[in-house]
Amino acid sequence: MSRKTRDKLISAVTVVAAFISAATLLVIIGFILKTGLPVLSPDFLTGEYNPKTSYLDIKKAPRAFIAEKTADGDIFIREFGITLKQTKDKEGKTAFTVTGIKSGSPALEATDAAHNKRPLKTGSVITKIGKTGTEGLSIPAAADLFKNAGDKLRIKAVIPGGGIYPMIIATLLTILLSLGIVMPVGVCAAIYLVEYARGGRVIEIIRFATECLSGIPSILFGLFGMLFFVKYLNIGQSILAGSLTLSILLLPTVIRTTEETLKTIPQSYKEGSYGLGASKLQTLCRIVLPGALPGILVAVILSTGRIVGESAALLFTAGTFANTPKSVLDSAATMTVRAYVEVKEYGNVNMACGIGVILIAIVLTLNLSSRFILNRLNEKRRDRA
Amino acid sequence: MKYKLSKFSDRFFKAVFLLCALCSVLMLLAITIFIVEKGVKPFLPGNANGNYSLFNFLTGDVWKPSQNIFGIGYMAAASALATAGAIALGVPTGLLTAVFIAEIANEKLAGIIRPMIELLSGIPSVLYGVFGYAVVAKIIRSFSPYHVGDSLLAVIIILSIMILPTVVSISEAAIRAVPAAYREAAYGLGATKTEVIFKTVIPAAKSGILAGVVLGTGRAIGETMAVILVAGNPEGGMPGGIFDKVRLITNNIVLEQGYASGMHEEMLFSTGVILFIFIMAVNILLNRLKKRIGET
């Protein structure tokens, strides 16, 4: 083989390798989008995860809807604009499942006993109409109950779950809380390392510890968090315990990113500030920190990405519950944790991919925005030079 | 008076900053102490939950908490094999990709592939697991002699994809850091482009590339959520082939931590200690490499 052909051959091998790397990404993202996109719907994003039984008050429509042709055995209730089908509830009793709701139907404005808006959804199972239970009720009899209702009708219905709203809320709370804890600590640590430290043993130890921390796998953070925050400090499995655990995990990223930007603040700026009689603290607050703001923003973005994608550290600290958290002391699963639980426990790849689409959208947005900030920063630096 | 006040607040804040900086040291210590303290209990005499032989723990190939059998030898072997396999697959691919981006592709093509690799590193590990569960394991099932998709092979494939971005980005940086004079000298001696790359540039970038490999190794050893969905997680048995089900060290913790108590829970922490030792060894190796890069 001549050297020239060998040269070409080896070049071709690198092309193939690069192609494989890029294709892997496309295949993974393609798979997640293909499986996940059909799952996405407003109900998926805003609905509760668990089915919920509640009493709903529905006002009668001011004018009856125009009669509609329905599938065999279904009936369209003109007064409320909903289509019903006779089915069985979980205990095998007769019930009526909502198979269609016209737009503008008052059922979409239904309220629960506490006057919170709780719209009836397609797939809801009605087990009581007014004061009459649906057991043994025929379809025409049920339709009569609706027709003869007063201005307001109370029904008992099981509204289907399957939404990820609780996980979205849990994820947002976890992001806010974790950033709230780690950003002040991390930025202050970086300030110490760049602005105060004069080298020596302490700094070496701090740097070594930070580096070690960044190498520890998240499952070990999870173990520690469970032992220390959940049990030892007795916080219990909660968003708070999860966020505290994440804060430790994020610390190295925040410190390193902030440090990098702090180092780029020109020495002359600080000297100018000192020359005007400012103290070290004043210089930090007025000169150094404002200049480092874009870098701190990048640290926030990077951390958010890690929080959104983290699961092993949260599994035993924040838990896997799919109820909407009322406070940070509640146990609640983030989207990523839930995606894992869905696949591991139920083999529910569709829901995991639905969550996956959202996660990829978030990661992509964060990726682009951090790159945008860094580009702007570099341009500025070039202008200054 | 005002001067004194500002001097006081300067000192006060310096202390606050130092305290924050010490946080990482404190947390590292706390993590080490808490995990190790609980993890070594079963091997020390006088433990409330009973004792277990360290030798049996490290070399055992059966894990049956219900019968008080705790052997993680087969998990350690699986973790080592999975990591080695991921490196064997991921490093050549990653290194060649880095060579392509840094030396062969034009700016435009490199500008397309590089962000794609970066995005690969941003995808949450659970999604790799979902992909492995729904796609990779299914494909493997179609030709596996046991007709099971969960296997060492699936774990290796997922892990090698996951270390790819680390290997690519660090190798690329190392290759780019090689001075242009090296290349010019090699060209001057009549070398072809690939000879320049593989005989001059890569040897010069060796330490940096090695650092990428070590970092990737750390990631592969510590990875949990992606591989748990495709590993199969059996209760025992040394892995004998790539189609065997395996249970990795990390998986063991996640699978059972939710309900473990007493000696069982302590044993999971012991598993954590073993993982911790693995990772620290990798970290120290990485630190050495970085120092060597700094020197050259």
Side-chain angles (χ1 to χ4, degrees), chain A residues 134-339:
Chain A
T134 52
E135 167 65 356
L137 212 61
S138 70
I139 279 236
D144 280 344
L145 283 174
F146 275 101
K147 255 174 221 156
N148 302 332
D151 286 344
K152 209 161 131 191
L153 178 67
R154 173 164 287 192
I155 58 169
K156 186 182 179 187
V158 183
I159 299 171
I164 59 161
Y165 176 75
M167 279 65 92
I168 294 178
I169 297 299
T171 309
L172 287 177
L173 282 175
T174 310
I175 292 174
L176 287 179
L177 198 56
S178 308
L179 288 179
I181 300 167
V182 75
M183 287 313 294
V185 177
V187 170
C188 287
I191 289 178
Y192 183 82
L193 289 175
V194 176
E195 301 290 330
Y196 286 90
R198 302 250 179 280
R201 200 121 193 101
V202 182
I203 300 308
E204 231 169 77
I205 293 173
I206 293 176
R207 280 196 199 288
F208 177 74
T210 314
E211 212 151 284
C212 279
L213 223 46
S214 72
I216 293 180
S218 39
I219 177 66
L220 287 180
F221 285 101
L223 264 187
F224 169 73
M226 181 179 149
L227 196 59
F228 186 68
F229 296 121
V230 176
K231 290 190 176 160
Y232 190 77
L233 296 183
N234 210 6
I235 300 176
Q237 275 195 356
S238 59
I239 293 180
L240 179 61
S243 302
L244 285 165
T245 310
L246 282 184
S247 305
I248 310 175
L249 183 144
L250 296 170
L251 203 54
T253 316
V254 175
I255 293 179
R256 203 177 310 134
T257 317
T258 314
E259 238 187 304
E260 291 298 317
T261 18
L262 286 178
K263 278 183 194 156
T264 62
I265 310 278
Q267 190 62 28
S268 57
Y269 286 23
K270 290 178 227 166
E271 278 158 9
S273 169
Y274 293 137
L276 290 170
S279 69
K280 181 134 198 170
L281 199 61
Q282 284 168 329
T283 309
L284 273 180
C285 294
R286 305 266 166 84
I287 308 291
V288 177
L289 277 184
L293 211 57
I296 294 174
L297 204 60
V298 171
V300 168
I301 292 172
L302 290 180
S303 306
T304 310
R306 290 263 334 242
I307 300 170
V308 168
E310 189 49 59
S311 44
L314 288 172
L315 206 55
F316 303 117
T317 51
T320 55
F321 278 109
N323 291 331
T324 311
K326 294 197 177 61
S327 80
V328 293
L329 291 175
D330 282 349
S331 164
T334 63
M335 290 191 279
T336 311
V337 171
R338 197 65 215 177

Side-chain angles (χ1 to χ4, degrees), chain A residues 71-92:
Chain A
D72 222 21
D74 289 12
I75 189 162
F76 181 69
I77 313 268
R78 291 180 56 200
E79 288 74 12
F80 291 90
I82 54 176
T83 314
L84 295 183
K85 181 186 186 161
Q86 195 177 39
T87 48
K88 301 261 186 241
D89 70 0
K90 262 191 283 179
E91 285 129 40

Side-chain angles (χ1 to χ4, degrees), chain A residues 11-186:
Chain A
S11 296
V13 171
T14 67
V15 175
V16 171
F19 175 76
I20 291 175
S21 305
T24 313
L25 173 85
L26 293 181
V27 169
I28 294 178
I29 292 198
F31 161 75
I32 289 169
L33 289 185
K34 194 180 141 245
T35 323
L37 276 179
V39 181
L40 288 191
S41 69
D43 274 356
F44 181 70
L45 295 174
T46 59
E48 291 289 331
Y49 177 81
N50 294 313
K52 197 170 178 187
T53 309
S54 43
Y55 285 94
L56 301 177
D57 290 321
I58 309 177
K59 287 200 185 93
K60 211 179 220 176
R63 249 182 308 151
F65 285 80
I66 298 161
E68 247 185 36
K69 229 183 133 186
T70 57
D72 222 21
D74 289 12
I75 189 162
F76 181 69
I77 313 268
R78 291 180 56 200
E79 288 74 12
F80 291 90
I82 54 176
T83 314
L84 295 183
K85 181 186 186 161
Q86 195 177 39
T87 48
K88 301 261 186 241
D89 70 0
K90 262 191 283 179
E91 285 129 40
K93 291 179 180 165
T94 320
F96 295 92
T97 301
V98 180
T99 54
I101 303 176
K102 292 284 287 177
S103 70
S105 158
L108 295 170
E109 306 290 326
T111 51
D112 64 9
H115 301 290
N116 294 318
K117 204 179 145 195
R118 202 172 289 282
L120 198 67
K121 282 182 190 156
T122 310
S124 303
V125 179
I126 298 172
T127 52
K128 216 171 185 183
I129 304 165
K131 289 194 169 112
T132 321
T134 52
E135 167 65 356
L137 212 61
S138 70
I139 279 236
D144 280 344
L145 283 174
F146 275 101
K147 255 174 221 156
N148 302 332
D151 286 344
K152 209 161 131 191
L153 178 67
R154 173 164 287 192
I155 58 169
K156 186 182 179 187
V158 183
I159 299 171
I164 59 161
Y165 176 75
M167 279 65 92
I168 294 178
I169 297 299
T171 309
L172 287 177
L173 282 175
T174 310
I175 292 174
L176 287 179
L177 198 56
S178 308
L179 288 179
I181 300 167
V182 75
M183 287 313 294
V185 177

